[in-house]
């Protein structure tokens, strides 16, 4: 008995990283919720490194990555460094659409490498 949006987004602070996990097929509302939670944590904690765990995410329609890009274009006061962990090339492509020219890197099923990359540079 699970609702469609229940537990689709989980965002939390772990050590010096914000971890955002998205499951299932995200909607624009899910992306907005995720972005809001990430920004709230970033502003409250001062942490600017974000690990997006999309390993349990289903590929959304192409309009959804464009919605994420639009959300990112509204970011003016917070600069984030993001690592996106994906299970396949389709989600990697959609992640690149979603984050455009931002400071991010896509990793294939390798959370350890993503965390290492985020730790490389102090921002």
């Amino acid at each position: 008995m699970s609702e469609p949006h229940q537990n689709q987004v989980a965002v939390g602070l772990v050590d010096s990283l914000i971890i955002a996990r998205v499951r299932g097929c995200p909607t624009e509302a899910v992306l907005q919720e995720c972005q809001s939670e990430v920004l709230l944590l970033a502003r409250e904690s001062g942490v600017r490194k974000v690990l997006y765990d999309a390993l349990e995410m289903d590929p959304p329609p192409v309009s959804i990555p464009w919605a994420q890009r639009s959300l990112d274009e509204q970011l003016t006061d917070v600069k984030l460094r993001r690592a996106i962990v994906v299970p396949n090339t389709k989600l990697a492509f959609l992640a690149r659409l979603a984050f455009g020219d931002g400071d991010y890197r896509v990793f294939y099923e390798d959370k350890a490498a993503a965390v290492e990359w985020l730790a490389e540079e102090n921002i």
Side-chain angles (χ1 to χ4, degrees):
M1 273 180 38
S2 70
E3 297 169 27
H5 298 293
Q6 188 179 13
N7 297 327
Q8 207 170 349
V9 175
V11 179
L13 189 61
V14 178
D15 298 323
S16 59
L17 282 183
I18 294 170
I19 299 181
R21 185 171 290 120
V22 180
R23 293 182 182 93
C25 187
T27 61
E28 282 188 45
V30 166
L31 291 184
Q32 286 173 335
E33 177 188 343
C34 185
Q35 183 93 335
S36 295
E37 290 183 34
V38 165
L39 291 176
L40 180 67
L41 270 179
R43 289 182 178 117
E44 286 178 350
S45 68
V47 171
R48 299 292 184 261
K49 297 174 182 185
V50 185
L51 173 69
Y52 285 92
D53 178 346
L55 292 175
E56 296 179 45
M57 189 170 117
D58 299 324
V62 79
S63 62
I64 299 302
W66 287 114
Q68 177 65 49
R69 187 179 282 215
S70 174
L71 287 172
D72 276 10
E73 287 168 358
Q74 297 166 24
L75 281 183
T76 53
D77 64 324
V78 178
K79 199 92 171 118
L80 300 172
R81 179 176 174 92
R82 299 180 275 202
I84 303 104
V85 182
V86 298
N88 56 48
T89 54
K90 184 167 189 169
L91 275 171
F93 172 76
L94 293 171
R96 288 183 182 97
L97 272 184
F99 294 101
D101 300 327
D103 183 8
Y104 75 93
R105 191 165 155 202
V106 175
F107 294 83
Y108 290 89
E109 296 186 357
D110 194 345
K111 285 186 199 175
V115 169
E116 202 173 293
W117 179 77
L118 285 169
E120 278 176 14
E121 184 182 320
N122 257 341
I123 62 165

